[in-house]
Amino acid sequence: MIIEPRTRGFICLTAHPKGCEQNVLTQIEYIKERPVTNGPKKVLVIGASTGFGLASRITAAYGSNAATIGAFFEKPPSEGRTASPGWYNSAAFEAQAHKDGLYAKSINGDAFSNEIKTQTIDLIKEDLGQIDLLIYSLASPVRTHPDTGERFKSVLKPIGKTFTDNTVDFHTGEVKEISINPAEGDDIKNTVNVMGGEDWQMWIDQLKAAGVLSEDFKTVAYSYIGSSLTEAVYRKGTIGAAKDDLEATAFKITDTLKGVNGQAYVSVNKALVTQASSAIPVIPLYISLLYKVMKEEGIHEGCIEQIERLFNARLYAENLELDEAGRIRIDDWEMRDDIQAKVLELWKQATTETLPNIGDLKGYETDFFNLFGFKVDGVDYDKDTNEMVDIPGLQA
Ligand code: NAI
């Protein structure tokens, strides 16, 4: 079929297998040139199909020859209907990994559930014995608690008072004011339940009890801090409360891991266009200004560049520097004073008329379409394309 983008607000309902494949191959090429010395060998990535998780899987596999198991929640294709992009990304990754002699298997389902945890542990036992790295890169709007069956929904709201500021509709380029009412009722608790650390801890507890964590095991989850411009809605909002909880969980997990000399870390990453971040109000305007400034300074990075730096310059480097709160920082370039000062200045000038010049709206838009395999260089979108693509190592 001929596959075209069908967008609805900040989501795209279609995905292009060839475009997704090309994105994966480009990331693989990037990592092949930057091997990770003393890197991981047996790796589980939760949230492995898109964004930071996909980049982590590729970096482990192609930087360090690691065997990877990827867990994710993606929609398979059906005749005439495309899969979700993470499905096609995983299919492309595994096809290439198998060609290159790398072990790669995937599990598609709700990682919050006990069933998926058990299935993953069984697979590790059978095929790998133990793992030495777990990347936790899950981003989800909902979670069904595995023990109580209660379903929680996360919200993106400020805490305490209404937040009013500008945002951009990146499809039309219109800069407009939005107001978001503050969290109420159980909003904070529910968001912490979905995006906080409880599920990460549950994974570790179950993996440890099964004896599948190797000596010197490491685990990393991803967090975000960001600028003063976004803090009311992000770091000081409901999602920030969840990130506080996630960060506190790292210390608890490190305690849990004492027996295997293990260590849990949170890595604070840079703001990037992903399916998760495009859903957050105000972030698109911030990102389009940030991209402009960081590209001008020659320090712009995408997910793969970020994660390559995480592995090579932080996690597997000789000295791992942590911030005052014990976190790994790869948002250091985003957070540089000169970068933030420039973004702040541009923010004051941003209108529908000025943004195309002072911001990188084009870069934002291209990145957004790229997430779904569209507008990718070298892909012939007029060519008939088979939407029915299998993931070779997908577990039944
Ligand atoms: P993403 O939307 O690209 O990836 C989310 C992943 O989670 C996908 O692999 C998806 O299949 C998986 N997933 C979602 N629900 C699932 C479920 N129930 N069971 C199994 N898998 C499930 O998101 P992104 O942006 O890569 O986010 C990953 C982490 O990085 C999140 O913790 C996010 O807060 C963090 N982060 C993101 C930043 C950004 O700007 N995008 C910046 C800093 C941190």
Side-chain angles (χ1 to χ4, degrees), residues 46-53 71-74 109-112 136-140 142 195 222-224 234 243 268-277 287:
I46 298 165
S49 53
T50 55
F52 284 112
F72 45 77
F73 207 3
E74 300 292 343
D110 181 7
F112 293 129
Y136 189 83
S137 186
L138 208 155
S140 172
V142 289
M195 287 296 285
Y222 297 142
S223 188
Y224 184 64
Y234 197 97
K243 290 300 186 192
V268 183
N269 300 354
K270 173 197 183 205
L272 280 172
V273 182
T274 65
Q275 287 179 77
S277 72
I287 288 187

Side-chain angles (χ1 to χ4, degrees), residues 110-348:
D110 181 7
F112 293 129
S113 71
N114 285 329
E115 291 74 24
I116 290 293
K117 289 185 176 72
T118 305
Q119 193 188 355
T120 308
I121 289 167
D122 289 346
L123 182 62
I124 295 170
K125 275 187 185 158
E126 221 166 273
D127 287 3
L128 306 180
Q130 292 189 321
I131 53 169
D132 53 73
L133 176 66
L134 165 69
I135 298 287
Y136 189 83
S137 186
L138 208 155
S140 172
V142 289
R143 172 179 178 221
T144 301
H145 197 283
D147 299 335
T148 63
E150 207 181 329
R151 190 172 157 87
F152 299 101
K153 277 181 83 170
S154 70
V155 296
L156 296 159
K157 290 186 183 174
I159 293 174
K161 59 174 197 258
T162 304
F163 169 80
T164 305
D165 208 331
N166 281 341
T167 189
V168 63
D169 175 338
F170 62 88
H171 292 300
T172 62
E174 190 191 351
V175 176
K176 58 181 176 202
E177 200 175 79
I178 49 153
S179 280
I180 312 167
N181 290 330
E184 52 185 37
D186 286 337
D187 280 347
I188 300 173
K189 199 179 112 231
N190 292 347
T191 307
V192 171
N193 234 304
V194 179
M195 287 296 285
E198 188 188 25
D199 182 62
W200 185 24
Q201 176 85 55
M202 284 178 155
W203 269 99
I204 297 293
D205 288 345
Q206 294 185 30
L207 290 159
K208 187 174 172 236
V212 296
L213 301 182
S214 76
E215 196 66 22
D216 300 326
F217 167 81
K218 291 185 192 359
T219 181
V220 185
Y222 297 142
S223 188
Y224 184 64
I225 297 177
S227 107
S228 58
L229 290 163
T230 57
E231 73 178 9
V233 75
Y234 197 97
R235 192 64 204 210
K236 292 188 176 161
T238 49
I239 181 73
K243 290 300 186 192
D244 287 344
D245 184 73
L246 183 81
E247 292 176 12
T249 303
F251 295 104
K252 292 186 201 149
I253 292 179
T254 296
D255 279 344
T256 311
L257 293 173
K258 282 218 169 93
V260 293
N261 194 33
Q263 186 78 41
Y265 299 101
V266 159
S267 170
V268 183
N269 300 354
K270 173 197 183 205
L272 280 172
V273 182
T274 65
Q275 287 179 77
S277 72
S278 41
I280 307 175
V282 187
I283 297 279
L285 180 56
Y286 171 72
I287 288 187
S288 61
L289 298 173
L290 180 73
Y291 273 26
K292 178 82 169 186
V293 174
M294 292 186 81
K295 283 179 185 176
E296 272 173 7
E297 291 289 322
I299 52 170
H300 176 70
E301 297 172 296
C303 288
I304 197 69
E305 290 85 0
Q306 277 265 289
I307 300 302
E308 185 273 328
R309 205 151 64 87
L310 170 67
F311 277 54
N312 268 324
R314 302 283 191 276
L315 208 50
Y316 295 99
E318 288 209 347
N319 288 315
L320 173 54
E321 253 183 57
L322 303 173
D323 72 4
E324 69 296 339
R327 302 170 294 207
I328 298 174
R329 303 295 296 265
I330 52 169
D331 64 338
D332 46 348
W333 298 347
E334 169 183 356
M335 299 306 283
R336 256 171 42 183
D337 289 345
D338 59 327
I339 300 292
Q340 285 300 319
K342 281 185 185 155
V343 174
L344 201 65
E345 196 40 51
L346 293 175
W347 185 274
K348 292 182 202 150

Side-chain angles (χ1 to χ4, degrees), residues 1-5 14 16 82 374 380-387:
M1 64 193 274
I2 303 293
I3 304 169
E4 290 175 342
T14 50
H16 202 286
T82 64
F374 296 109
D380 181 359
Y381 291 102
D382 295 328
K383 207 169 152 191
D384 195 35
T385 304
N386 183 7
E387 71 283 14

